[in-house]
Amino acid sequence: MAARADAELVLGGTAARFDRTGARLFGRERESDAIDRGLRDPDGPRLVLVRGERGIGRSAFTRAAAERLRAEGIAVLRVDCVPGDGERPLLLALRLVMALEEHRSTAARPGTARRAAAQALSATRRGDRASLAEVLAGSLAQPTPATVVVEDAQHADAESLALLGEVDFRPSQPGVRLLVTAVQHTGPDSTEPSPGSGRALEQLARSRGAHTIVLPRLGAEDVTAAVAQRLRAAPDAGLARRAHRLSQGIPGALDALLLGWAGQDAIRMVDRQAFLALGAPVPVLPDGDRFVEALRALGEPCWTVAAALSILWPLGRSAEELAAASTELSAEAVRDGIRTLVDEGVVDELPGQTGDAPRGWTFRVPLMEDAVRERLGPLERGRLSAAAVEALWAGGAPEDPPVRQDQRTAPVAVILAEADAETYLPDRIADAGVLVDRDRAVAELTAAARALYPDHERRGMVRWHLRAVRLIEEPIARDLAILRCGQAAFGCGDYRTARAVAERIVCDPAEGLDPLTLYDAATLLVASAGVERDWPALDRMGTAPWWDGLRLPAMAAVSGRVQALWQLEKWQEALTLLSRTEPVWQSTPDSRALLELFRNVAEFVLGRPERLTRALALPEVPGMSRDKVFARTIAQFDLLLGTGDLPGATALLSARELSAELLPESSRFLLHHLRGQWDEALALARRLMVNGGVLTAVPTHHLLPARTAAILLARGRITSADRLVSSVRGRAHGPLELFLDHAEAEVLRTLGELGRAEETLRRGLRAAQERGSVYGTDELWASLAEVHAEAGHTGRAAACLERLDLLAEQMNSGRTRLLYLLTSAGVRPDSAAAGRHLPEAVELARSRSQPFETAVALLAAVRANAGPATLLREAYDLFGETGAALWRFRTRSAMREAGIAVPGRGQATAENEHLLGILLAEGLTNRQIAHVLRLSEDAVANRVSRLFARTGMRSRTEVVTAVLTGGPLTADDR
């Protein structure tokens, strides 16, 4: 099958590319309309100032306006001002005259133009302001239709700006139009203009006939649109939200942020959507960045003050005093530095009560806070952080005794509401390290990390645990802290850290460490290796010699070995080991609860569900820690969802008093899938693919990618489904891949490749038989029966049905029973059994409350004449709820055959064309599309031709582009 690199849907995703080409201005529609109206209107302003803060996009805005003018035949001249121009009096005025006269030299009076240029040059050399003013006014008053763009006028000399302020720019006066751009900081501070060019620009803005346009920051929606344009993909909500917060809607900062993340490979693309990798740090702006250069240009003490504020600003007014105390600067120097930083747009004042002094300061561009802080050395960072910690501790926690004023070593401080109070103090304690009280630091870091668990956004929990470990000197206490760190890392998806931590304890435990801690470490080690799919390592851990060489108690060694066998789905070996070592693992409540769950699941997988069924009905084991109760519940919940038992899974959540919002993303995916909420399920699947969390614990190991592939297949995205399955295939000695085998076979069946589908299904059944596994084989037997029936092998199909019937009785599973009923009717649609089985199938499907499953049963019942044709309308609506476009197409065909009107003819036509476009975008040939849609090749060719004719598209490439960009396949929108 053909594949498209820009439509990949694979584990880990693909790297994002930052694209500046074809940039469109977002959030500037009103300002663009205003400048176009003014410049086109003969009576419009002759001087337009475009103002805005650094990075707001003044140049891009004026460049776009200039291009529109050029397109209308108006000459546009450009004069750039650069740093240092302000030291050369009258330079801008001279440049304006020279540019205008050079432009006029090609007109009818070149001699006059040369004389004006010479006069301007002579006046500038003499410093003759009056003469140059006369020449400048004359050049600007010439009727030649032209617009001069003056870029970055904040660098211009004040004398030239003053001369321009004396020119009469009223619309009634003929002459050249000026389009001037200049920095104007527009934050919450209301500072007076700086001396020199800043004040001259303010006067120019107030001159006769001048009009000012101030470019605002972009709103959240415009930032999202800009990110989508730069990455050529729709950003995930988390990426868009973080991009808006860190850039504050300043386009220059947004570009720097995206470029930095792309350079870190932190933005990943999955299924034409962009996601920010978990824990992606804020990129540090390089030295050549405009914001960094602007701060560097201010020199000292501004840089030192900014560095101090990057650590201390969340403490409000206290930051000023703490900065002076922590640096070699005087209090006056710090105040002056802050004042300059505010004036130059690096930081903003936080207004206090009416008329009061500001509450503190924040960085205007949050990226700059990180850029400055990350340039600090460890000693500077530690010293400033220690000052912050001591100031906050001086204030006292609610449980601390009051501290007398004469005992305090630092000013009392509180954290501003604008800062992240949950992470600020632990971050500063972590940076301060040994510079503050060790015991209190360890206690507070540990408490903060526990409060943040599971920290899915990786805001600092693991870092705080690691810093606490460095401060602990006693070996046993350190190992306990290391284990807490590993468990926290596992909880937030940092499996590499979790495994390294667990291996450190298991291979070299401190003397006297208690057995339960070592048991937990062994469990963490095996679980981390499983998530990382390190099957060779797990294979070694499944043997006695690997554990015999370690200084571990028997409980930890036995538990670790059992769990390794479990991860590898060596169920019978695990049961034998459990039986032989039962007195060992029954010795503690934790190991007993975990390994009893393993035993129950192992027996279930091998076809003995009784013990697991009884256990699910029992209340939770008393005395277990909250996190272990939660982990055990999730394992049971996922298993129920794996069997398609939505009512049972919902009942379990209710019994354990858990809401769906508290579930891991992988569990929520399975829940959304069964509920028919496929858009939500796909959104979760894409994020999990980027973050590597797509594989869950066995025996539901590959359920998430398999069900994702099923959604894609039902929506016509056949190549994407096939690619996804291939991307998560593992090695032969890893866990079984029954769910992937079924998903791959369904793709092949859809394309009409029955021989390859049969081979895939038989391969999965052989692998299951070798390990004695029963769980998950019901889907394989059902598909194999249908493959045989389609190929005309009725005897083989009947044999598969018998196996499926036995499985339904053996496992007592509603899903297996439903599969048997539907498959039986599909294999023998004209038999009396179909008439009996399909009504039961419809009733059973309705009781299971799964929209897609119910719709399939309804469609099957009508096709076998085991239900009224009116059921097709219900199936049609249910397929529409899930977005199963391919099944909805097939249902439309069945409705037409049954003489039932398809609602919304226009909508049906649009859906047909969109599905055809998807199949073309997936790279399918006409023959493959014919198999998918169950049409003839000629019919498919005709549909493609009609699609081209109606939309005006001329090739498959254009159709693919429209589908990949999410555009409608209509001529009006092209």
Side-chain angles (χ1 to χ4, degrees):
M1 279 176 278
R4 290 185 55 85
D6 58 351
E8 287 186 341
L9 200 155
V10 296
L11 185 62
T14 55
R17 291 172 296 177
F18 180 76
D19 188 357
R20 281 195 175 97
T21 61
R24 175 190 155 201
L25 297 178
F26 291 96
R28 300 287 182 252
E29 292 78 11
R30 184 175 62 182
E31 292 78 12
S32 295
D33 290 343
I35 198 169
D36 286 350
R37 284 195 306 270
L39 294 176
R40 290 191 185 105
D41 185 357
D43 296 326
R46 288 179 52 216
L47 172 61
V48 177
L49 278 83
V50 178
R51 308 294 301 270
E53 60 191 302
R54 186 177 298 108
I56 202 65
R58 303 179 312 277
S59 295
F61 177 79
T62 53
R63 188 162 50 245
E67 288 302 318
R68 293 192 294 272
L69 289 174
R70 287 193 182 98
E72 296 175 7
I74 298 175
V76 179
L77 314 179
R78 182 184 175 99
V79 175
D80 291 341
C81 302
V82 297
D85 284 359
E87 305 302 320
R88 303 175 65 183
L90 304 177
L91 177 62
L92 174 59
L94 173 63
R95 284 178 173 171
L96 284 171
V97 173
M98 299 295 282
L100 286 167
E101 300 311 326
E102 181 180 355
H103 171 64
R104 292 193 183 104
S105 67
T106 59
R109 295 184 295 168
T112 303
R114 283 195 293 270
R115 284 195 300 274
Q119 291 171 357
L121 182 58
S122 175
T124 303
R125 287 173 176 170
R126 298 193 313 272
D128 187 345
R129 184 182 184 280
S131 296
L132 184 57
E134 183 178 351
V135 176
L136 176 64
S139 295
L140 292 173
Q142 293 293 328
T144 305
T147 296
V148 181
V149 177
V150 178
E151 283 277 14
D152 290 326
Q154 72 274 5
H155 297 310
D157 62 283
E159 291 84 352
S160 294
L161 294 174
L163 289 183
L164 287 173
E166 297 170 4
V167 175
D168 189 351
F169 284 106
R170 286 178 298 178
S172 59
Q173 302 298 317
V176 173
R177 296 187 185 221
L178 286 186
L179 188 53
V180 180
T181 76
V183 166
Q184 178 185 28
H185 302 304
T186 54
D189 58 294
S190 302
T191 60
E192 289 295 319
S194 57
S197 61
R199 190 165 295 164
L201 278 168
E202 296 300 326
Q203 293 172 349
L204 180 61
R206 293 192 292 269
S207 64
R208 292 168 294 180
H211 177 69
T212 299
I213 293 177
V214 178
L215 299 180
R217 297 179 178 185
L218 303 182
E221 290 185 4
D222 289 320
V223 166
T224 300
V227 173
Q229 181 191 68
R230 292 303 201 205
L231 301 179
R232 303 298 179 193
D236 165 66
L239 169 57
R241 184 170 55 250
R242 198 170 178 201
H244 182 252
R245 181 177 64 81
L246 289 172
S247 70
Q248 288 296 296
I250 300 172
L254 179 63
D255 281 355
L257 175 65
L258 295 177
L259 190 60
W261 271 333
Q264 297 172 356
D265 199 18
I267 302 178
R268 308 296 293 174
M269 312 287 285
V270 172
D271 202 25
R272 303 188 295 276
Q273 295 203 21
F275 296 83
L276 190 62
L278 271 180
V282 177
V284 179
L285 297 176
D287 289 339
D289 178 82
R290 76 183 82 191
F291 298 102
V292 177
E293 285 187 333
L295 177 56
R296 288 284 192 197
L298 299 179
E300 292 292 353
C302 289
W303 181 270
T304 298
V305 172
L309 288 179
S310 73
I311 298 289
L312 300 172
W313 77 261
L315 302 182
R317 295 288 306 181
S318 302
E320 183 178 317
E321 183 179 351
L322 290 169
S326 304
T327 64
E328 297 179 354
L329 298 175
S330 66
E332 183 179 1
V334 171
R335 280 194 298 273
D336 290 344
I338 291 175
R339 185 72 262 160
T340 302
L341 292 173
V342 171
D343 291 343
E344 296 297 328
V346 178
V347 300
D348 284 334
E349 290 181 344
L350 295 172
Q353 301 285 340
T354 304
D356 289 351
R359 292 181 294 114
W361 307 268
T362 61
F363 281 82
R364 180 182 290 268
V365 181
L367 273 177
M368 274 300 291
E369 176 188 341
D370 290 82
V372 176
R373 185 176 61 246
E374 293 305 315
R375 282 174 166 81
L376 286 170
L379 291 178
E380 295 173 290
R381 190 164 177 163
R383 186 170 61 250
L384 289 163
S385 294
V389 172
E390 295 292 357
L392 288 169
W393 282 355
E399 65 274 11
D400 290 342
V403 179
R404 297 200 314 270
Q405 185 65 40
D406 60 357
Q407 294 176 319
R408 289 175 174 161
T409 58
V412 179
V414 293
I415 300 174
L416 291 171
E418 287 80 2
D420 185 351
E422 195 172 18
T423 63
Y424 178 72
L425 179 56
D427 274 343
R428 299 288 69 78
I429 295 172
D431 282 342
V434 296
L435 298 179
V436 295
D437 181 82
R438 281 177 179 265
D439 292 338
R440 182 167 183 178
V442 169
E444 294 204 14
L445 285 172
T446 303
R450 284 174 170 167
L452 206 60
Y453 183 86
D455 192 19
H456 290 308
E457 296 183 1
R458 300 191 187 178
R459 296 165 60 201
M461 176 185 65
V462 173
R463 176 173 177 264
W464 302 338
H465 273 304
L466 286 171
R467 294 289 181 167
V469 167
R470 295 181 185 179
L471 295 172
I472 298 173
E473 296 177 309
E474 199 276 319
I476 292 180
R478 188 190 307 117
D479 271 10
L480 290 172
I482 289 172
L483 179 61
R484 285 194 299 268
C485 177
Q487 291 168 331
F490 190 92
C492 71
D494 185 358
Y495 305 115
R496 180 177 299 179
T497 298
R499 184 175 177 182
V501 161
E503 195 164 12
R504 150 75 176 78
I505 298 175
V506 167
C507 295
D508 186 24
E511 291 291 339
L513 205 59
D514 68 280
L516 186 58
T517 298
L518 293 171
Y519 156 80
D520 284 341
T523 297
L524 180 62
L525 175 61
V526 176
S528 301
V531 174
E532 290 191 317
R533 300 192 291 173
D534 191 347
W535 313 130
L538 287 167
D539 207 31
R540 294 190 294 271
M541 292 179 195
T543 63
W546 195 90
W547 298 94
D548 291 344
L550 302 173
R551 293 185 292 115
L552 297 176
M555 177 185 66
V558 166
S559 174
R561 186 180 170 196
V562 168
Q563 292 176 68
L565 294 170
W566 158 284
Q567 291 283 355
L568 294 167
E569 296 201 47
K570 296 182 178 181
W571 305 108
Q572 194 56 61
E573 289 183 52
L575 284 176
T576 300
L577 181 59
L578 283 169
S579 177
R580 193 173 69 244
T581 59
E582 187 164 352
V584 175
W585 57 265
Q586 288 276 1
S587 59
T588 68
D590 279 5
S591 62
R592 181 169 60 249
L594 179 64
L595 295 186
E596 279 183 351
L597 173 63
F598 283 6
R599 180 181 62 185
N600 297 344
V601 172
E603 290 182 354
F604 171 81
V605 170
L606 295 175
R608 305 194 297 274
E610 297 79 17
R611 201 193 299 261
L612 179 63
T613 302
R614 290 195 300 271
L616 288 173
L618 296 175
E620 238 339 315
V621 179
M624 287 182 66
S625 62
R626 186 181 62 162
D627 57 334
K628 291 178 181 176
V629 169
F630 181 75
R632 179 183 167 93
T633 300
I634 295 304
Q636 295 170 329
F637 179 77
D638 287 353
L639 189 60
L640 288 168
L641 293 179
T643 65
D645 187 358
L646 181 59
T650 305
L652 177 68
L653 279 188
S654 178
R656 300 289 189 266
E657 297 182 347
L658 289 174
S659 65
E661 290 73 22
L662 296 175
L663 298 174
E665 288 185 331
S666 56
S667 300
R668 295 209 310 273
F669 166 86
L670 297 174
L671 188 62
H672 285 312
H673 171 260
L674 293 184
R675 286 178 172 174
Q677 299 162 335
W678 285 3
D679 288 338
E680 293 87 341
L682 279 180
L684 286 170
R686 294 182 188 110
R687 189 154 55 244
L688 286 164
M689 286 172 203
V690 166
N691 296 324
V694 72
L695 303 177
T696 54
V698 291
T700 58
H701 191 66
H702 294 104
L703 194 59
L704 191 149
R707 297 305 188 237
T708 302
I711 294 174
L712 296 172
L713 182 60
R715 292 185 166 188
R717 299 192 52 198
I718 297 163
T719 305
S720 297
D722 180 67
R723 186 181 300 115
L724 172 58
V725 171
S726 298
S727 74
V728 293
R729 287 283 192 188
R731 299 179 181 177
H733 60 282
L736 293 171
E737 299 183 347
L738 304 183
F739 295 116
L740 298 180
D741 292 329
H742 177 260
E744 181 181 338
E746 289 301 295
V747 169
L748 294 169
R749 283 183 61 198
T750 303
L751 292 171
E753 299 184 34
L754 299 182
R756 290 181 60 197
E758 178 184 350
E759 179 184 344
T760 301
L761 293 167
R762 288 197 177 278
R763 180 183 65 208
L765 289 169
R766 281 195 303 271
Q769 185 177 16
E770 289 171 2
R771 303 194 195 184
S773 295
V774 171
Y775 173 70
T777 60
D778 51 356
E779 294 183 349
L780 300 182
W781 285 116
S783 290
L784 187 57
E786 292 175 345
V787 166
H788 284 318
E790 289 179 47
H793 303 145
T794 55
R796 296 177 187 176
C800 294
L801 273 177
E802 290 180 12
R803 295 296 298 268
L804 194 56
D805 192 14
L806 290 173
L807 275 177
E809 185 175 349
Q810 178 182 359
M811 299 299 289
N812 191 27
S813 163
R815 180 188 67 177
T816 311
R817 176 63 181 171
L818 181 59
L819 281 172
Y820 168 73
L821 296 172
L822 293 174
T823 306
S824 175
V827 169
R828 297 189 291 259
D830 299 327
S831 66
R836 296 193 308 273
H837 289 164
L838 285 172
E840 180 187 348
V842 170
E843 183 179 354
L844 178 57
R846 290 189 190 281
S847 71
R848 288 164 55 80
S849 305
Q850 298 175 36
F852 182 76
E853 189 180 75
T854 301
V856 170
L858 294 170
L859 181 58
V862 176
R863 282 179 169 170
N865 297 316
T870 53
L871 293 178
L872 289 174
R873 178 61 185 270
E874 182 182 353
Y876 188 68
D877 291 340
L878 290 173
F879 285 135
E881 288 178 16
T882 61
L886 184 54
W887 285 83
R888 195 161 154 95
F889 175 87
R890 292 170 180 170
T891 308
R892 274 196 293 272
S893 299
M895 292 171 74
R896 292 190 182 98
E897 291 173 7
I900 297 177
V902 177
R905 180 178 177 182
Q907 180 183 351
T909 299
E911 288 183 14
N912 284 342
E913 291 186 344
H914 188 66
L915 176 59
L916 181 59
I918 288 174
L919 297 174
L920 292 172
E922 291 289 299
L924 302 189
T925 64
N926 280 7
R927 175 173 295 183
Q928 289 172 322
I929 294 174
H931 280 294
V932 172
L933 299 181
R934 299 171 184 174
L935 299 171
S936 68
E937 284 191 59
D938 288 342
V940 170
N942 289 335
R943 285 173 179 259
V944 172
S945 297
R946 287 200 301 272
L947 178 64
F948 288 162
R950 195 182 68 77
T951 62
M953 297 179 181
R954 295 181 296 277
S955 68
R956 289 184 176 223
T957 302
E958 291 188 59
V959 176
V960 169
T961 301
V963 170
L964 294 182
T965 56
L969 297 177
T970 59
D972 293 340
D973 292 275
R974 289 185 67 249

